[in-house]
């Protein structure tokens, strides 16, 4: 190391200022232009990655300018100096992993840019968050190994802590894995009308996340249902129906003789079959219960729509026969 002269200071400042100007007026415009070109050519993911890595690239270049300026002032090439090489390499490793971290962060904020399908996948944000944690851990271990740190004790502590956390949050983990099952199987999507087999949950799906599903019930209340509850019960996706079953009853007095009752039943069957909205293959009209003073007539048929308003209108038409 030598005492810096005025020339050294001027050269160092000039290198730093010129370098900043090149980064600002050359590197950044070229990189952004390249990203736009990728987007126009149908490579939006590569374009997003190019834009996302620029902050880390800029910081790495600025850091390089600082090291170069200090090398001029001190008269020592710090990049090759044994005392500073590990320190400088640690920064470059950090900038490299930071670029990957920023890319994952961009897609976490803009998951629609990452999706290839029409429907949003709830697993994407989950895996992106996990990936960010993994990137930070790998970066930490990489820098630690560069400095020859002994990581055995640290790894043991992490393992024991992980086991303790797993026992402490096992219920939450059950909900999360159930949410992953919902995301993979896709028994329903946002906007679907669903009902559980026990009929305790009946409404429209408003939101799906890894822990719970938000359902708007028939009385317009919002219900947060744990995913583990939904996974362990039969789920009827009523939105997927192409037909709706209609079943109701009529009651006839015993004052009517048998012939009139049979004629009435046949007339009902014919009228149901003639209605343009009913399915013709399955039509059930029959007396199914006999009571003192009256009998019960069962009407069962299917309407070729999933629109509740239309179904009610068809039912009303049949009742007016």
């Amino acid at each position: 190391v030598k005492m810096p002269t005025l020339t050294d200071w001027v050269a160092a400042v000039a290198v730093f200022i010129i370098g900043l100007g090149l980064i600002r007026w050359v590197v950044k415009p070229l990189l952004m232009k390249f990203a736009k070109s990728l987007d126009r050519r149908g490579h939006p993911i590569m374009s997003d990655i190019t834009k996302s890595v620029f902050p880390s690239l800029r910081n790495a270049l600025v850091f390089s300018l600082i090291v170069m300026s200090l090398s001029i002032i001190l008269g020592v090439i710090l990049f090759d100096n044994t005392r500073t090489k590990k320190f400088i390499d640690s920064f470059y490793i950090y900038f490299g992993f930071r670029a990957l971290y920023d890319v994952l962060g961009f897609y976490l904020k803009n998951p629609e840019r990452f999706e290839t399908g029409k429907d949003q996948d709830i697993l994407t944000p989950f895996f992106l968050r996990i990936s960010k944690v993994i990137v930070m851990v790998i970066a930490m271990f990489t820098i630690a190994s560069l400095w020859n740190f002994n990581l055995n004790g640290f790894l043991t502590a992490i393992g024991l802590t992980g086991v303790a956390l797993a026992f402490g949050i096992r219920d939450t983990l059950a909900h999360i894995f159930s949410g992953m099952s919902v995301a993979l199987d896709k028994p329903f999507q946002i906007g679907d009308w669903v009902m559980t087999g026990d009929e305790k949950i009946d409404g429209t799906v408003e939101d799906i996340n890894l822990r719970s599903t938000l359902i708007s019930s028939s009385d317009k209340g919002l219900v947060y249902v744990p995913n583990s509850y939904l996974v362990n019960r039969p789920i009827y996706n009523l939105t997927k129906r192409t037909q709706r079953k209609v079943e109701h009853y009529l009651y006839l007095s015993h004052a009517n003789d048998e012939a009139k009752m049979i004629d009435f039943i046949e007339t009902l069957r014919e009228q149901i079959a003639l209605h343009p909205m009913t399915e013709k293959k399955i039509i059930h009209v029959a007396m199914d219960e006999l009571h003192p003073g009256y009998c019960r007539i069962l009407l069962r048929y299917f309407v070729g729509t999933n629109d509740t308003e239309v179904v009610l209108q068809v039912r009303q038409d049949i009742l007016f026969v």
Side-chain angles (χ1 to χ4, degrees), residues 281-300:
K281 292 183 178 180
I282 302 177
I283 298 176
H284 297 153
V285 182
M287 182 176 66
D288 70 331
E289 286 187 7
L290 185 62
H291 298 274
Y294 70 93
C295 61
R296 190 177 76 173
I297 307 298
L298 165 67
L299 286 78
R300 182 187 296 128

Side-chain angles (χ1 to χ4, degrees), residues 45 111-119 121 124:
I45 292 181
E112 71 282 354
R113 295 281 294 178
F114 193 74
E115 298 295 340
T116 56
K118 180 176 66 174
D119 301 311
D121 184 0
T124 299

Side-chain angles (χ1 to χ4, degrees), residues 24 57 77 79 117 158 170 173 180 195 197 216 232 237 242-243 263 282 298 301:
R24 176 67 179 84
L57 176 62
I77 300 178
F79 291 104
I158 288 180
R170 58 184 182 274
L173 290 176
M180 294 175 66
M195 181 176 67
S216 176
N232 293 322
N237 192 331
T242 58
Q243 300 178 2
D263 184 63
I282 302 177
L298 165 67
Y301 50 92

Side-chain angles (χ1 to χ4, degrees), residues 5-283:
T5 63
L6 179 61
T7 303
D8 294 333
W9 280 103
V10 171
V13 172
V15 167
F16 187 74
I17 293 176
I18 293 172
L20 288 180
L22 289 173
I23 294 172
R24 176 67 179 84
W25 302 109
V26 178
V27 176
K28 182 178 180 180
L30 286 177
L31 204 63
M32 294 300 108
K33 186 176 181 180
F34 178 66
K36 291 181 180 179
S37 174
L38 288 171
D39 208 0
R40 286 195 302 267
R41 294 178 183 178
H43 303 286
I45 292 181
M46 293 302 299
S47 175
D48 294 336
I49 291 174
T50 303
K51 294 176 183 177
S52 299
V53 301
F54 174 72
S56 294
L57 176 62
R58 178 195 58 210
N59 294 337
L61 292 174
V62 171
F63 176 73
S64 299
L65 290 174
I66 293 173
V67 175
M68 290 171 62
S69 299
L70 289 175
S71 297
I72 294 172
I73 293 172
L74 300 176
V76 177
I77 300 178
L78 299 178
F79 291 104
D80 296 330
N81 188 279
T82 54
R83 296 182 179 179
T84 59
K85 191 175 187 316
K86 288 183 179 180
F87 179 78
I88 294 173
D89 289 344
S90 297
F91 268 92
Y92 284 130
I93 290 172
Y94 166 77
F95 289 134
F97 280 101
R98 178 69 195 200
L100 180 56
Y101 185 88
D102 289 340
V103 171
L104 295 172
F106 171 82
Y107 283 115
L108 187 59
K109 293 179 181 178
N110 305 276
E112 71 282 354
R113 295 281 294 178
F114 193 74
E115 298 295 340
T116 56
K118 180 176 66 174
D119 301 311
Q120 184 175 347
D121 184 0
I122 66 172
L123 288 180
T124 299
F126 172 74
F127 284 124
L128 287 174
R129 288 189 179 94
I130 294 297
S131 298
K132 289 178 68 176
V133 174
I134 293 174
V135 166
M136 288 190 294
V137 172
I138 294 176
M140 181 182 64
F141 279 103
T142 303
I143 295 174
S145 63
L146 182 66
W147 290 87
N148 299 318
F149 286 152
N150 186 356
L151 300 175
N152 292 333
F154 182 69
L155 291 173
T156 302
I158 288 180
L160 294 175
T161 304
V163 172
L165 286 174
F167 277 106
I169 61 174
R170 58 184 182 274
D171 291 337
T172 301
L173 290 176
H175 296 319
I176 291 175
F177 283 113
S178 297
M180 294 175 66
S181 176
V182 169
L184 292 173
D185 295 339
K186 293 186 177 179
F188 50 80
Q189 298 175 356
I190 294 175
D192 285 354
W193 175 18
V194 298
M195 181 176 67
T196 56
D198 54 13
E199 298 186 5
K200 291 183 178 179
I201 302 297
D202 181 3
T204 304
V205 178
E206 298 290 337
D207 187 28
I208 306 171
N209 56 59
L210 279 175
R211 189 182 184 281
S212 62
T213 296
L214 177 62
I215 295 179
S216 176
S217 60
S218 55
D219 60 355
K220 300 303 180 182
L222 293 177
V223 183
Y224 288 88
V225 185
N227 287 326
S228 58
Y229 179 89
L230 295 175
V231 169
N232 293 322
R233 283 164 175 77
I235 300 292
Y236 297 98
N237 192 331
L238 304 180
T239 300
K240 302 299 182 182
R241 295 179 300 185
T242 58
Q243 300 178 2
R244 294 279 294 275
K245 184 177 77 170
V246 179
E247 185 174 291
H248 50 101
Y249 305 95
L250 297 176
Y251 298 90
L252 297 180
S253 170
H254 284 175
N256 299 291
D257 58 38
E258 182 178 344
K260 288 183 178 180
M261 290 184 182
I262 294 175
D263 184 63
F264 177 72
I265 291 172
E266 291 300 323
T267 301
L268 280 176
R269 184 180 291 109
E270 290 176 4
Q271 293 300 317
I272 293 173
L274 289 173
H275 198 287
M277 291 300 297
T278 58
E279 298 295 322
K280 316 308 177 187
K281 292 183 178 180
I282 302 177
I283 298 176

